[in-house]
Amino acid sequence: MSTDNRPAPRRLGDAADRGWHEDLARAGTVPAPRPGLLEDAMTQVRQAAAAEAPGAHEEIVAVRATAARARSRRRRTALVTVTAAAAILAAVLVVTAPWAVTTQRTDVVATGQGPVPVEQDGAASCAFAYSPQVLAEQVTFAFDGTITKIDTGSLFQSNRVTFEVTTWFRGPEVDAPASITLPMSPAEPRTGADGITRGDSRMLDTPSYTVGTRLLVAGAARFGGGPIEDPVVWGCDFTRYYDQPTAQQWATALD
Amino acid sequence: MPDSDEEVLARSLRRPAAFEELVRRHSAPVHGYLQRRSSTQVADDLLAETWLQAFASRSSYDPGRGPVRAWVFGVARHVLSAAQRQHRRAHQEGSWSEAVTDPAPDWDAIDARLDAAATAPALRSGLAGLTGPDRELLLLVVWEQLSPTEAAAVLGIPAGTARSRLHRARRQLRHHVSTPPPAAAHPAASHPSSRRSS
């Protein structure tokens, strides 16, 4: 509702809401940003971009589809069935044609767990390949913890997994909690009434787990801010079963 | 056709400077969001901080939970909450959880704008009667012009929950506006800024 060029206010409900809605919308009118403010923000981001370690993101692997889209695609089974024959025919033509070329798509990774893998020609790719260096550069929290409780979400929701933390390698600098509850993909696949199977943590290169499982857990704050605010647990081998050598490696890398 | 926000953000993982395009596209609405909940001066101070936080945490962006626009508002909300926490700690007011769940708008400034409206007293009373999360959700939709699904992504709640909360808030406000409070009741007594978030 600032005075810059914005679309018409979103209307709520019917005519009965119009009076209060317009008054409230008017109360949200604020001046447009002063000239130069945008440039200031741009300059600061430009400096941050320039300061980012060269090659810090070189391990990013392009991925071709989002998990969300994959789920959406699965729901369109009927449509896929109709078009499958045409696709197969086209594929045969492409493969057999001597002038066939391959194309590569680059898309954003999408699931609930950070740089997670998506299927790519039967294999999996991750936005970040695990290494202690990437771990140190990218995660905002990491700890060694044992699962004490699992609240199972609905078919479309993550589990809420509670850990008793043995050691924080990275996290809140003060008052780091002794336990933390995090959203995590279900350990086992679940099949809904629609016949579609969802939520297998093994697809995300995250260890299967149950109460008592000890894990080395790594992830990042979804919106920035505090290290464990709106946390996203990273799969792709970042979160892994506990072993002492790796725990030592994390302690060193994240020190 | 310009690249989508999601494509720009993905590109910025390989080429950090690409992120500037998102700053260019969304600074005005984000500044408006910050300004409506603080002041022009504070919004000016927090805009760059919001973008620096967003840049630093861009690898955690999850397209499955909403568009980039909603994610940026979520970052702004966290930056604002942190600033409010800092301010309240310095002034020994309020509590940590209160600031986190309800970045409070500058109600004095909003009251001044509402004063001209016929529904102002009832609207103030109605807003005061909403829970903190319901109020924040409603304001994201009315002021920031986010869809309920986008607002849900900002707040980190399921879209269905956002829709039902929005329906409840709308019904409550409609009721307040159609049946104004008794004349004896002073609006300041139930002012949102004096409430505790639920």
Side-chain angles (χ1 to χ4, degrees), chain B residues 50-102:
Chain B
T50 296
W51 284 117
L52 288 173
Q53 289 266 359
F55 177 79
S57 61
R58 68 194 191 281
S59 59
S60 294
Y61 166 66
D62 174 4
R65 296 192 183 192
V68 165
R69 189 164 82 112
W71 171 74
V72 171
F73 274 106
V75 174
R77 182 171 181 266
H78 276 68
V79 167
L80 183 61
S81 293
Q84 288 175 333
R85 280 199 299 267
Q86 200 173 13
H87 177 81
R88 288 178 187 183
R89 267 197 230 110
H91 294 80
Q92 301 292 305
E93 296 171 10
S95 69
W96 175 283
S97 60
E98 184 180 24
V100 168
T101 55
D102 183 18

Side-chain angles (χ1 to χ4, degrees), chain B:
Chain B
M1 197 169 131
D3 289 342
S4 71
D5 289 344
E6 287 69 28
E7 289 168 330
V8 172
L9 192 139
R11 193 164 60 243
S12 78
L13 290 172
R14 296 183 299 277
R15 199 170 62 81
F19 196 82
E20 287 178 34
E21 178 59 24
L22 294 178
V23 181
R24 195 185 318 278
R25 290 181 187 180
H26 297 292
S27 278
V30 167
H31 185 266
Y33 168 84
L34 294 168
Q35 203 175 354
R36 275 183 278 279
R37 287 157 183 77
S38 55
S39 65
T40 303
Q41 179 60 49
V42 171
D44 287 359
D45 292 344
L46 296 184
L47 181 66
E49 176 62 22
T50 296
W51 284 117
L52 288 173
Q53 289 266 359
F55 177 79
S57 61
R58 68 194 191 281
S59 59
S60 294
Y61 166 66
D62 174 4
R65 296 192 183 192
V68 165
R69 189 164 82 112
W71 171 74
V72 171
F73 274 106
V75 174
R77 182 171 181 266
H78 276 68
V79 167
L80 183 61
S81 293
Q84 288 175 333
R85 280 199 299 267
Q86 200 173 13
H87 177 81
R88 288 178 187 183
R89 267 197 230 110
H91 294 80
Q92 301 292 305
E93 296 171 10
S95 69
W96 175 283
S97 60
E98 184 180 24
V100 168
T101 55
D102 183 18
D106 179 354
W107 288 108
D108 289 338
I110 290 162
D111 278 356
R113 296 189 200 106
L114 274 172
D115 277 344
T119 56
L123 190 51
R124 276 203 291 267
S125 165
L127 283 170
L130 300 180
T131 65
D134 284 7
R135 190 167 57 237
E136 177 65 0
L137 181 64
L138 181 76
L139 295 181
L140 283 171
V141 173
V142 176
W143 284 353
E144 317 317 328
Q145 298 163 34
L146 299 182
S147 69
T149 303
E150 288 174 325
V154 174
L155 301 175
I157 59 176
T161 304
R163 276 192 290 273
S164 62
R165 284 185 185 175
L166 200 55
H167 177 74
R168 182 175 60 199
R170 201 182 77 199
R171 192 180 52 199
Q172 203 167 327
L173 268 185
R174 185 191 297 169
H175 175 74
H176 271 272
V177 171
S178 61
T179 54
H186 192 281
S190 57
H191 195 283
S193 60
S194 66
R195 284 176 50 81
R196 292 288 179 264
S197 302
S198 59

Side-chain angles (χ1 to χ4, degrees), chain A residues 2 12 19 23 25 29 49 61 94 101 107 120 123 128 134-135 156 171 189 196 212 221 229 233 250:
Chain A
S2 56
L12 285 176
D23 286 344
T29 304
V61 181
V94 167
V101 294
D107 272 329
Q120 186 171 11
F128 298 103
V134 174
L135 181 81
F156 292 99
I196 296 172
E229 289 185 30
V233 175
W250 281 31

Side-chain angles (χ1 to χ4, degrees), chain A residues 92-118:
Chain A
V92 169
L93 287 173
V94 167
V95 169
T96 54
W99 59 87
V101 294
T102 58
T103 60
Q104 184 177 3
R105 286 183 54 193
T106 302
D107 272 329
V108 182
V109 180
T111 78
Q113 301 203 338
V116 296
V118 295

